[in-house]
Amino acid sequence: MICPEHTVGQQWQDDMELADGAQEADELDELPYADETDSHTLYEHQRYVADAGQQPLRVDKFLATQMRGSSRARIQAAAETGHIFVCTAADQAQGRTGQPVKSNYRVRPGDIVTLMLERPKRDWHIEAQDIPLDVVYEDDVLLVVNKPAGMVVHPGCGNFDGTLVNALAWHLRDDPRYDPDSPEVGLCHRIDKDTSGLLVVAKTPEAKSCLGRQFYDHSSRRTYNALVWGRFADDRGTITGNIGRDVRDRQRMAVYPMDGPVGKPAVTHYRVMESFGYTTLVECRLETGRTHQIRAHMKHIGHPLFADERYGGTQVLRGERTAAYRAFIANCFALCPRQALHARTLGFSHPASGQQMDFCSPLPADMQALIDKWRRYVGSQDTL
């Protein structure tokens, strides 16, 4: 849905979940859908035994009290996809194994409740690795880094090292206050692997708490630059719609009705910076911070990010049918072989001094080369 832009002040947020929020259920963050589980081996990640005085209680509520970092919604998703198992006292007496249960199963005394996932359990320890960092600013309580495209922010399934967090552990290895394994310090927000741009890192629990509140209440300032497919009818606009997992492709996010039960509410404001006929350079400001928010919202309104393979941006979506144009687009993809998205500005109130801090990162070389190429193309055409 697109509606006229309204004034929202300078209250913007990242296009990824806040680090604190995103870590509330790391183990449940990569759950497959039910039809993907039949042929997978499952590994035990968590085990809880209901005590003798346990009153009948829904298993999702039971686990929510045990798995303090996990939301009830994610626990329910785990149950719906067959990842919550219960072995009753009767099962145990008969030597039987547990069976998957739904969210409404009621836990009783002696029940063994387990979380089973497709990947083996991994002990998370952040290894300090000597990886170059582009540090834009640093003081006693925080630092701001400019993340390059291609770098994963945080270790996760399939990316256990070589991440920004590993690099930060090395950079801050001599700071006794900074424990890379502690959620009380570190990244205050995230961006995607193939998105470039600014991130703020807290060195102390007090700084992280203060910065986290600013991201939560939208008093931080963030803008993104993105090259998207197509021409906009209006120079400014707002995109609204809940964002949640795409039921057809769990690696993507999809947009659902704003007043519906699926996904989380998301609002993206944009303005056109420059039009190239078949593509447009836009600035995006976010009222909310949902996973893939800009990518999903732009796809939803028919303007996928240029070169964003996951959301269809590597198809030739606008332009001519000539071989010359197809060759031009292929050269553009070669110049910037990732979604053309850059977290350009970052602003927040300093946790210690209260001073307003504002940073700006120039477009990285690949995006700048891509935009320059489109400018030259437009300059050579009479019909655009």
Side-chain angles (χ1 to χ4, degrees), residues 46-133:
Q46 300 290 346
R47 170 183 287 248
Y48 304 99
V49 181
D51 62 35
Q54 176 68 52
Q55 296 296 315
L57 181 67
R58 284 175 55 111
V59 69
D60 55 342
K61 290 185 178 180
F62 174 81
L63 286 177
T65 64
Q66 304 292 330
M67 300 171 65
R68 296 302 178 95
S70 300
S71 71
R72 188 174 171 192
R74 289 188 177 181
I75 292 170
Q76 290 172 342
E80 291 306 309
T81 53
H83 290 81
I84 304 299
F85 284 66
V86 171
C87 186
T88 67
D91 290 333
Q92 297 165 49
Q94 297 294 323
R96 296 192 295 264
T97 59
Q99 298 295 320
V101 297
K102 298 300 184 182
S103 300
N104 61 358
Y105 173 86
R106 294 190 176 275
V107 177
R108 291 172 173 78
D111 281 358
I112 300 174
V113 183
T114 56
L115 170 66
M116 308 289 290
L117 298 179
E118 277 73 16
R119 60 187 184 275
K121 187 171 183 178
R122 178 182 175 90
D123 292 328
W124 290 103
H125 170 68
I126 304 301
E127 177 185 357
Q129 295 179 303
D130 188 5
I131 301 169
L133 276 178

Coordinates of all heavy atoms in Angstrom, one line a residue, residues 46-133:
Q46 N 17.3 -28.3 23.4 CA 16.9 -28.0 24.8 C 16.1 -29.1 25.4 O 15.3 -29.7 24.7 CB 16.1 -26.7 24.8 CG 16.9 -25.4 24.3 CD 18.0 -25.0 25.2 OE1 18.1 -25.4 26.4 NE2 18.8 -24.1 24.7
R47 N 16.2 -29.3 26.7 CA 15.5 -30.4 27.4 C 15.0 -29.8 28.7 O 15.8 -29.3 29.5 CB 16.3 -31.6 27.6 CG 15.7 -32.7 28.5 CD 16.6 -33.9 28.7 NE 16.7 -34.7 27.4 CZ 16.2 -35.9 27.3 NH1 15.6 -36.5 28.4 NH2 16.3 -36.6 26.2
Y48 N 13.7 -30.0 29.0 CA 13.1 -29.6 30.3 C 12.2 -30.7 30.8 O 11.5 -31.3 30.1 CB 12.3 -28.3 30.1 CG 13.1 -27.2 29.5 CD1 13.0 -26.9 28.1 CD2 14.0 -26.4 30.2 CE1 13.7 -25.9 27.5 CE2 14.7 -25.4 29.7 CZ 14.6 -25.1 28.3 OH 15.3 -24.1 27.7
V49 N 12.3 -30.9 32.1 CA 11.5 -31.9 32.8 C 10.5 -31.3 33.7 O 11.0 -30.5 34.6 CB 12.4 -32.9 33.6 CG1 11.5 -34.0 34.2 CG2 13.4 -33.6 32.7
A50 N 9.3 -31.5 33.5 CA 8.2 -30.9 34.4 C 8.3 -31.5 35.8 O 8.3 -32.8 35.9 CB 6.8 -31.1 33.8
D51 N 8.3 -30.7 36.8 CA 8.4 -31.3 38.1 C 7.1 -31.9 38.6 O 6.1 -31.8 38.0 CB 8.9 -30.2 39.1 CG 8.0 -29.0 39.3 OD1 6.8 -29.2 39.2 OD2 8.5 -27.9 39.4
A52 N 7.2 -32.5 39.8 CA 6.1 -33.3 40.3 C 4.8 -32.4 40.6 O 3.7 -32.9 40.6 CB 6.5 -34.1 41.5
G53 N 5.1 -31.1 40.8 CA 4.0 -30.2 41.2 C 3.4 -29.5 40.0 O 2.6 -28.6 40.2
Q54 N 3.9 -29.8 38.8 CA 3.4 -29.1 37.6 C 1.9 -29.2 37.4 O 1.4 -30.3 37.2 CB 4.2 -29.6 36.4 CG 3.8 -29.0 35.1 CD 4.2 -27.5 35.0 OE1 5.3 -27.2 35.2 NE2 3.2 -26.6 34.7
Q55 N 1.3 -28.1 37.3 CA -0.1 -28.0 36.9 C -0.2 -28.1 35.4 O 0.7 -27.6 34.7 CB -0.8 -26.7 37.5 CG -0.8 -26.6 39.0 CD -1.7 -27.7 39.6 OE1 -2.8 -28.0 39.1 NE2 -1.2 -28.3 40.7
P56 N -1.3 -28.7 34.9 CA -1.5 -28.7 33.4 C -1.3 -27.3 32.8 O -2.0 -26.4 33.2 CB -2.9 -29.3 33.2 CG -3.1 -30.1 34.5 CD -2.4 -29.3 35.6
L57 N -0.4 -27.2 31.8 CA -0.1 -25.9 31.3 C 0.3 -26.1 29.8 O 1.0 -27.0 29.4 CB 1.1 -25.3 32.0 CG 1.5 -23.9 31.5 CD1 0.5 -22.9 31.8 CD2 2.9 -23.5 32.2
R58 N -0.3 -25.3 28.9 CA 0.1 -25.3 27.5 C 1.6 -25.4 27.3 O 2.3 -24.6 28.0 CB -0.5 -24.2 26.7 CG -2.0 -24.2 26.5 CD -2.5 -22.9 25.8 NE -1.8 -22.6 24.6 CZ -2.3 -22.7 23.4 NH1 -3.6 -23.0 23.2 NH2 -1.6 -22.4 22.3
V59 N 2.0 -26.2 26.4 CA 3.5 -26.4 26.2 C 4.1 -25.1 25.7 O 5.3 -24.8 26.1 CB 3.8 -27.5 25.2 CG1 3.4 -27.2 23.8 CG2 5.2 -27.9 25.3
D60 N 3.4 -24.2 25.0 CA 4.1 -23.0 24.5 C 4.3 -22.0 25.7 O 5.3 -21.4 25.8 CB 3.3 -22.3 23.4 CG 1.8 -22.1 23.8 OD1 1.3 -22.7 24.7 OD2 1.1 -21.2 23.1
K61 N 3.3 -22.0 26.7 CA 3.5 -21.2 27.9 C 4.6 -21.8 28.8 O 5.4 -21.1 29.4 CB 2.1 -21.1 28.7 CG 1.1 -20.3 28.0 CD -0.2 -20.2 28.9 CE -1.2 -19.3 28.2 NZ -2.4 -19.1 29.1
F62 N 4.6 -23.1 28.9 CA 5.6 -23.8 29.7 C 7.0 -23.4 29.2 O 7.9 -23.1 30.0 CB 5.4 -25.3 29.6 CG 6.5 -26.1 30.3 CD1 6.5 -26.3 31.7 CD2 7.5 -26.7 29.6 CE1 7.5 -27.0 32.3 CE2 8.5 -27.5 30.2 CZ 8.5 -27.6 31.5
L63 N 7.2 -23.5 27.9 CA 8.5 -23.3 27.3 C 8.9 -21.8 27.4 O 10.0 -21.4 27.5 CB 8.6 -23.7 25.9 CG 8.7 -25.3 25.7 CD1 8.7 -25.6 24.2 CD2 10.0 -25.8 26.4
A64 N 7.9 -20.9 27.3 CA 8.1 -19.5 27.4 C 8.7 -19.1 28.7 O 9.5 -18.2 28.9 CB 6.9 -18.7 27.1
T65 N 8.3 -19.9 29.8 CA 8.9 -19.6 31.1 C 10.3 -20.2 31.3 O 11.0 -19.8 32.2 CB 8.0 -20.2 32.2 OG1 7.9 -21.6 32.1 CG2 6.6 -19.6 32.1
Q66 N 10.6 -21.2 30.5 CA 11.9 -21.8 30.6 C 12.9 -21.2 29.6 O 14.1 -21.0 30.0 CB 11.8 -23.3 30.2 CG 10.8 -24.1 31.0 CD 11.2 -24.2 32.5 OE1 12.4 -24.3 32.8 NE2 10.2 -24.3 33.4
M67 N 12.6 -20.9 28.4 CA 13.4 -20.3 27.4 C 13.3 -18.8 27.4 O 12.6 -18.3 26.6 CB 13.1 -20.9 26.0 CG 13.3 -22.4 25.9 SD 12.7 -23.2 24.4 CE 13.8 -22.5 23.2
R68 N 13.9 -18.2 28.4 CA 13.7 -16.8 28.6 C 14.0 -15.9 27.4 O 13.5 -14.8 27.3 CB 14.5 -16.3 29.8 CG 14.1 -17.0 31.1 CD 12.6 -16.8 31.4 NE 12.1 -17.4 32.6 CZ 12.1 -16.9 33.8 NH1 12.5 -15.6 33.9 NH2 11.6 -17.6 34.8
G69 N 14.9 -16.3 26.6 CA 15.3 -15.5 25.4 C 14.4 -15.7 24.2 O 14.6 -15.1 23.2
S70 N 13.4 -16.6 24.3 CA 12.6 -16.9 23.1 C 11.2 -16.4 23.3 O 10.6 -16.5 24.4 CB 12.5 -18.5 23.0 OG 13.8 -19.0 22.8
S71 N 10.6 -15.8 22.2 CA 9.2 -15.3 22.3 C 8.3 -16.5 22.2 O 8.6 -17.5 21.6 CB 9.0 -14.3 21.2 OG 9.0 -15.0 19.9
R72 N 7.1 -16.3 22.7 CA 6.1 -17.4 22.6 C 5.7 -17.6 21.2 O 5.4 -18.7 20.8 CB 4.8 -16.9 23.5 CG 3.8 -18.0 23.6 CD 2.7 -17.6 24.5 NE 1.6 -18.6 24.5 CZ 0.4 -18.3 25.1 NH1 0.2 -17.2 25.7 NH2 -0.5 -19.2 25.0
A73 N 5.7 -16.6 20.4 CA 5.3 -16.7 19.0 C 6.3 -17.7 18.3 O 5.9 -18.5 17.5 CB 5.3 -15.4 18.3
R74 N 7.5 -17.6 18.5 CA 8.5 -18.4 17.9 C 8.4 -19.9 18.4 O 8.6 -20.8 17.7 CB 9.9 -17.9 18.1 CG 10.2 -16.6 17.3 CD 11.6 -16.2 17.3 NE 11.8 -15.1 16.4 CZ 13.0 -14.5 16.3 NH1 14.1 -15.0 16.8 NH2 13.1 -13.4 15.5
I75 N 8.1 -20.0 19.7 CA 7.9 -21.3 20.3 C 6.7 -22.0 19.6 O 6.7 -23.2 19.3 CB 7.7 -21.2 21.8 CG1 9.0 -20.8 22.5 CG2 7.2 -22.6 22.4 CD1 8.9 -20.4 23.9
Q76 N 5.6 -21.2 19.4 CA 4.4 -21.7 18.7 C 4.8 -22.2 17.3 O 4.3 -23.2 16.8 CB 3.3 -20.7 18.7 CG 2.7 -20.5 20.1 CD 1.8 -19.3 20.1 OE1 1.8 -18.5 19.2 NE2 0.9 -19.2 21.1
A77 N 5.6 -21.4 16.6 CA 6.1 -21.7 15.3 C 6.8 -23.0 15.3 O 6.7 -23.9 14.4 CB 6.9 -20.6 14.7
A78 N 7.7 -23.2 16.3 CA 8.4 -24.4 16.4 C 7.5 -25.6 16.6 O 7.7 -26.7 16.0 CB 9.4 -24.3 17.6
A79 N 6.5 -25.4 17.4 CA 5.5 -26.5 17.6 C 4.8 -26.9 16.3 O 4.6 -28.0 16.0 CB 4.5 -26.2 18.7
E80 N 4.4 -25.8 15.6 CA 3.6 -26.0 14.4 C 4.4 -26.7 13.3 O 3.9 -27.4 12.4 CB 3.1 -24.7 13.8 CG 2.0 -24.1 14.7 CD 0.8 -25.0 15.0 OE1 0.3 -25.6 14.0 OE2 0.5 -25.2 16.1
T81 N 5.7 -26.6 13.3 CA 6.6 -27.2 12.3 C 7.2 -28.5 12.8 O 8.1 -29.1 12.2 CB 7.7 -26.3 11.9 OG1 8.4 -25.8 13.1 CG2 7.2 -25.1 11.1
G82 N 6.7 -29.0 14.0 CA 7.1 -30.4 14.5 C 8.4 -30.4 15.2 O 9.1 -31.4 15.1
H83 N 8.8 -29.3 15.8 CA 10.1 -29.3 16.5 C 10.0 -29.3 18.0 O 11.1 -29.4 18.7 CB 10.8 -28.0 16.1 CG 11.3 -28.0 14.7 ND1 10.4 -27.8 13.6 CD2 12.5 -28.4 14.1 CE1 11.1 -27.9 12.5 NE2 12.3 -28.2 12.7
I84 N 8.8 -29.4 18.6 CA 8.6 -29.5 20.0 C 8.1 -30.9 20.3 O 7.1 -31.3 19.8 CB 7.6 -28.5 20.6 CG1 8.1 -27.1 20.3 CG2 7.5 -28.7 22.1 CD1 9.4 -26.6 20.8
F85 N 8.9 -31.7 21.1 CA 8.6 -33.1 21.4 C 8.3 -33.2 22.9 O 8.9 -32.5 23.7 CB 9.8 -34.0 21.0 CG 9.9 -34.3 19.6 CD1 10.3 -33.3 18.7 CD2 9.7 -35.6 19.1 CE1 10.4 -33.5 17.3 CE2 9.9 -35.8 17.7 CZ 10.2 -34.8 16.8
V86 N 7.4 -34.1 23.2 CA 7.1 -34.5 24.6 C 7.2 -36.0 24.8 O 6.6 -36.7 24.0 CB 5.7 -33.9 25.0 CG1 5.3 -34.5 26.4 CG2 5.7 -32.4 25.0
C87 N 7.9 -36.4 25.8 CA 7.9 -37.8 26.2 C 7.2 -37.8 27.6 O 7.7 -37.3 28.6 CB 9.3 -38.3 26.3 SG 9.5 -40.1 26.7
T88 N 6.0 -38.4 27.6 CA 5.2 -38.4 28.9 C 5.8 -39.5 29.9 O 6.6 -40.3 29.5 CB 3.8 -38.8 28.6 OG1 3.7 -40.1 28.1 CG2 3.2 -37.8 27.5
A89 N 5.3 -39.4 31.1 CA 5.7 -40.4 32.1 C 5.4 -41.8 31.6 O 6.1 -42.8 31.8 CB 5.1 -40.1 33.4
A90 N 4.2 -42.0 31.0 CA 3.8 -43.3 30.5 C 4.7 -43.7 29.4 O 5.1 -44.9 29.3 CB 2.4 -43.2 30.0
D91 N 5.1 -42.8 28.5 CA 6.1 -43.2 27.5 C 7.4 -43.6 28.1 O 8.0 -44.6 27.6 CB 6.4 -41.9 26.6 CG 5.2 -41.6 25.7 OD1 4.4 -42.4 25.4 OD2 5.1 -40.4 25.3
Q92 N 7.8 -43.0 29.1 CA 9.1 -43.3 29.7 C 9.0 -44.7 30.3 O 10.0 -45.5 30.3 CB 9.5 -42.3 30.7 CG 9.7 -40.9 30.2 CD 9.7 -39.8 31.2 OE1 10.4 -39.9 32.2 NE2 9.0 -38.7 31.0
A93 N 7.9 -45.0 31.0 CA 7.7 -46.3 31.6 C 7.7 -47.4 30.6 O 8.2 -48.5 30.9 CB 6.4 -46.3 32.4
Q94 N 7.3 -47.1 29.4 CA 7.2 -48.1 28.3 C 8.4 -48.1 27.4 O 8.5 -48.9 26.5 CB 6.0 -47.9 27.5 CG 4.6 -48.1 28.2 CD 4.4 -49.5 28.7 OE1 4.8 -50.5 28.0 NE2 3.9 -49.6 29.9
G95 N 9.4 -47.2 27.7 CA 10.6 -47.2 26.9 C 10.4 -46.5 25.6 O 11.2 -46.7 24.7
R96 N 9.3 -45.7 25.4 CA 9.0 -45.1 24.2 C 9.7 -43.7 24.1 O 9.9 -43.1 25.1 CB 7.5 -45.0 24.0 CG 6.8 -46.3 23.9 CD 5.3 -46.1 23.4 NE 4.5 -45.3 24.3 CZ 3.7 -45.8 25.2 NH1 3.6 -47.2 25.3 NH2 3.0 -45.1 26.0
T97 N 9.9 -43.2 22.9 CA 10.5 -41.9 22.7 C 9.4 -40.9 22.6 O 8.2 -41.2 22.5 CB 11.3 -41.9 21.4 OG1 10.5 -42.2 20.3 CG2 12.5 -42.8 21.4
G98 N 9.8 -39.6 22.7 CA 8.8 -38.6 22.6 C 8.2 -38.4 21.2 O 8.7 -38.9 20.2
Q99 N 7.1 -37.7 21.1 CA 6.4 -37.4 19.9 C 6.2 -35.9 19.8 O 6.1 -35.2 20.8 CB 5.0 -38.1 19.9 CG 5.1 -39.6 19.9 CD 5.8 -40.2 18.7 OE1 5.5 -39.7 17.6 NE2 6.6 -41.2 18.9
P100 N 6.2 -35.4 18.5 CA 5.9 -33.9 18.3 C 4.5 -33.5 18.8 O 3.6 -34.3 18.6 CB 6.1 -33.7 16.8 CG 5.9 -35.1 16.2 CD 6.4 -36.1 17.2
V101 N 4.4 -32.4 19.4 CA 3.1 -31.9 19.9 C 2.9 -30.5 19.4 O 3.8 -29.8 19.0 CB 3.1 -31.9 21.4 CG1 3.3 -33.3 22.0 CG2 4.2 -30.9 22.0
K102 N 1.6 -30.1 19.4 CA 1.2 -28.8 19.0 C 1.2 -27.8 20.2 O 1.4 -28.3 21.4 CB -0.2 -28.8 18.4 CG -0.2 -29.6 17.1 CD 0.7 -29.1 16.0 CE 0.6 -29.8 14.7 NZ 1.6 -29.4 13.7
S103 N 1.0 -26.5 20.0 CA 1.1 -25.5 21.0 C 0.1 -25.8 22.2 O 0.4 -25.4 23.3 CB 0.9 -24.1 20.5 OG 1.9 -23.9 19.5
N104 N -1.0 -26.4 21.9 CA -2.0 -26.5 22.9 C -1.9 -27.8 23.7 O -2.7 -28.0 24.6 CB -3.4 -26.5 22.3 CG -3.7 -27.6 21.3 OD1 -2.8 -28.4 21.0 ND2 -4.9 -27.7 20.7
Y105 N -0.8 -28.6 23.5 CA -0.6 -29.7 24.4 C -0.3 -29.2 25.8 O 0.4 -28.2 26.0 CB 0.6 -30.5 23.9 CG 1.0 -31.6 24.9 CD1 0.4 -32.9 24.8 CD2 2.0 -31.4 25.9 CE1 0.7 -33.9 25.8 CE2 2.3 -32.4 26.8 CZ 1.7 -33.6 26.7 OH 2.0 -34.6 27.7
R106 N -0.9 -29.9 26.8 CA -0.8 -29.5 28.2 C 0.3 -30.4 28.9 O 0.2 -31.6 29.0 CB -2.1 -29.6 28.9 CG -3.1 -28.5 28.4 CD -4.4 -28.4 29.2 NE -5.2 -27.4 28.7 CZ -5.1 -26.1 29.0 NH1 -4.2 -25.7 29.9 NH2 -6.0 -25.2 28.5
V107 N 1.3 -29.7 29.4 CA 2.4 -30.3 30.1 C 1.9 -30.8 31.5 O 1.2 -30.0 32.2 CB 3.6 -29.4 30.2 CG1 4.7 -30.0 31.0 CG2 4.1 -29.0 28.8
R108 N 2.3 -32.0 31.8 CA 1.9 -32.6 33.1 C 3.2 -33.1 33.9 O 4.3 -33.2 33.3 CB 1.0 -33.7 32.9 CG -0.4 -33.2 32.4 CD -1.3 -34.4 32.0 NE -2.7 -33.9 31.7 CZ -3.0 -33.3 30.5 NH1 -2.1 -33.1 29.6 NH2 -4.3 -32.9 30.3
P109 N 3.1 -33.4 35.1 CA 4.2 -33.8 35.9 C 5.0 -34.9 35.3 O 4.4 -35.9 34.8 CB 3.6 -34.3 37.3 CG 2.3 -33.5 37.4 CD 1.8 -33.3 36.0
G110 N 6.3 -34.8 35.2 CA 7.2 -35.8 34.7 C 7.4 -35.8 33.2 O 8.3 -36.5 32.7
D111 N 6.6 -34.9 32.5 CA 6.8 -34.8 31.0 C 8.3 -34.3 30.7 O 8.8 -33.4 31.4 CB 5.8 -33.9 30.4 CG 4.5 -34.5 30.2 OD1 4.3 -35.7 30.5 OD2 3.6 -33.8 29.7
I112 N 8.9 -34.9 29.7 CA 10.1 -34.4 29.2 C 9.9 -33.6 27.9 O 9.4 -34.2 26.9 CB 11.2 -35.5 29.0 CG1 11.4 -36.2 30.3 CG2 12.5 -34.9 28.4 CD1 12.3 -37.5 30.1
V113 N 10.1 -32.3 27.9 CA 9.9 -31.5 26.7 C 11.2 -31.1 26.1 O 12.1 -30.6 26.8 CB 9.1 -30.2 27.2 CG1 8.8 -29.4 25.9 CG2 7.8 -30.6 27.9
T114 N 11.3 -31.4 24.8 CA 12.6 -31.1 24.1 C 12.3 -30.3 22.9 O 11.3 -30.4 22.2 CB 13.3 -32.4 23.7 OG1 12.4 -33.2 22.9 CG2 13.7 -33.2 24.9
L115 N 13.3 -29.4 22.6 CA 13.4 -28.7 21.3 C 14.3 -29.4 20.4 O 15.5 -29.6 20.7 CB 13.8 -27.3 21.5 CG 14.2 -26.4 20.3 CD1 12.9 -26.2 19.5 CD2 14.8 -25.1 20.6
M116 N 13.8 -29.9 19.2 CA 14.6 -30.6 18.3 C 14.8 -29.8 17.0 O 13.8 -29.4 16.4 CB 14.0 -32.0 18.0 CG 13.6 -32.8 19.2 SD 15.0 -33.5 20.1 CE 15.5 -34.7 18.9
L117 N 16.0 -29.7 16.5 CA 16.3 -28.9 15.3 C 17.1 -29.7 14.3 O 17.7 -30.7 14.7 CB 17.0 -27.6 15.6 CG 16.2 -26.6 16.5 CD1 17.0 -25.3 16.8 CD2 14.9 -26.2 15.9
E118 N 17.1 -29.2 13.0 CA 17.8 -29.9 12.0 C 19.4 -29.9 12.1 O 20.0 -30.8 11.6 CB 17.5 -29.4 10.6 CG 16.2 -29.9 10.0 CD 15.0 -29.3 10.8 OE1 15.1 -28.3 11.5 OE2 13.9 -29.9 10.6
R119 N 19.9 -28.9 12.8 CA 21.3 -28.8 12.9 C 21.8 -29.2 14.3 O 21.1 -29.0 15.2 CB 21.8 -27.4 12.6 CG 21.2 -26.4 13.5 CD 21.5 -24.9 13.1 NE 21.0 -24.0 14.1 CZ 19.8 -23.5 14.1 NH1 19.0 -23.9 13.2 NH2 19.5 -22.6 15.0
P120 N 23.0 -29.8 14.4 CA 23.6 -30.1 15.7 C 23.7 -28.8 16.5 O 23.9 -27.7 16.0 CB 24.9 -30.7 15.4 CG 24.9 -31.1 14.0 CD 23.9 -30.1 13.3
K121 N 23.6 -29.0 17.8 CA 23.7 -27.9 18.7 C 25.2 -27.4 18.7 O 26.1 -28.2 18.7 CB 23.3 -28.3 20.2 CG 23.3 -27.1 21.1 CD 22.7 -27.5 22.5 CE 22.6 -26.3 23.4 NZ 22.0 -26.6 24.7
R122 N 25.4 -26.1 18.7 CA 26.7 -25.6 18.7 C 26.9 -24.7 19.9 O 26.1 -23.9 20.3 CB 26.9 -24.7 17.4 CG 28.3 -24.1 17.3 CD 28.4 -23.2 16.1 NE 29.6 -22.5 16.0 CZ 30.7 -23.0 15.4 NH1 30.7 -24.2 14.9 NH2 31.8 -22.2 15.4
D123 N 28.1 -24.9 20.6 CA 28.4 -24.0 21.7 C 28.9 -22.7 21.1 O 29.9 -22.7 20.4 CB 29.5 -24.6 22.6 CG 29.0 -25.9 23.3 OD1 27.8 -25.9 23.6 OD2 29.8 -26.8 23.5
W124 N 28.2 -21.6 21.4 CA 28.6 -20.3 20.8 C 29.7 -19.7 21.6 O 29.5 -19.3 22.8 CB 27.3 -19.4 20.8 CG 26.3 -19.9 19.8 CD1 25.2 -20.6 20.0 CD2 26.4 -19.7 18.4 NE1 24.5 -20.8 18.9 CE2 25.3 -20.4 17.8 CE3 27.4 -19.2 17.5 CZ2 25.1 -20.4 16.5 CZ3 27.1 -19.2 16.2 CH2 26.0 -19.8 15.7
H125 N 30.8 -19.5 21.0 CA 31.9 -18.8 21.5 C 32.5 -17.9 20.4 O 32.8 -18.4 19.4 CB 33.0 -19.7 22.1 CG 34.2 -18.9 22.5 ND1 34.3 -18.0 23.5 CD2 35.5 -19.0 21.9 CE1 35.5 -17.5 23.6 NE2 36.3 -18.1 22.6
I126 N 32.6 -16.6 20.6 CA 33.0 -15.7 19.6 C 34.6 -15.7 19.6 O 35.2 -15.3 20.6 CB 32.5 -14.3 19.8 CG1 31.0 -14.3 19.8 CG2 33.0 -13.4 18.7 CD1 30.3 -14.8 18.6
E127 N 35.2 -16.2 18.5 CA 36.6 -16.2 18.4 C 37.1 -14.9 17.8 O 36.6 -14.4 16.8 CB 37.0 -17.4 17.5 CG 38.5 -17.4 17.2 CD 38.9 -18.5 16.2 OE1 38.0 -19.2 15.8 OE2 40.1 -18.6 15.8
A128 N 38.1 -14.3 18.5 CA 38.6 -13.0 18.0 C 39.4 -13.3 16.7 O 40.3 -14.2 16.7 CB 39.5 -12.4 19.0
Q129 N 39.1 -12.6 15.6 CA 39.9 -12.8 14.4 C 40.3 -11.5 13.8 O 39.6 -10.5 13.8 CB 38.9 -13.5 13.3 CG 38.5 -14.9 13.7 CD 37.6 -15.6 12.7 OE1 36.5 -15.0 12.4 NE2 38.0 -16.7 12.2
D130 N 41.6 -11.5 13.4 CA 42.2 -10.3 12.8 C 41.7 -10.0 11.5 O 42.3 -10.3 10.4 CB 43.7 -10.5 12.8 CG 44.5 -9.2 12.5 OD1 43.8 -8.1 12.4 OD2 45.7 -9.2 12.4
I131 N 40.5 -9.3 11.4 CA 39.8 -9.0 10.2 C 39.8 -7.4 10.1 O 39.4 -6.8 11.1 CB 38.4 -9.5 10.1 CG1 38.5 -11.1 10.3 CG2 37.7 -9.1 8.9 CD1 37.1 -11.7 10.5
P132 N 40.2 -6.8 9.0 CA 40.2 -5.4 8.9 C 38.8 -4.8 9.2 O 37.8 -5.3 8.8 CB 40.6 -5.1 7.5 CG 41.4 -6.3 7.1 CD 40.7 -7.5 7.8
L133 N 38.8 -3.7 9.9 CA 37.6 -2.9 10.2 C 37.7 -1.5 9.7 O 38.8 -0.9 9.9 CB 37.3 -2.9 11.7 CG 36.6 -4.1 12.3 CD1 36.5 -3.9 13.9 CD2 35.2 -4.3 11.7

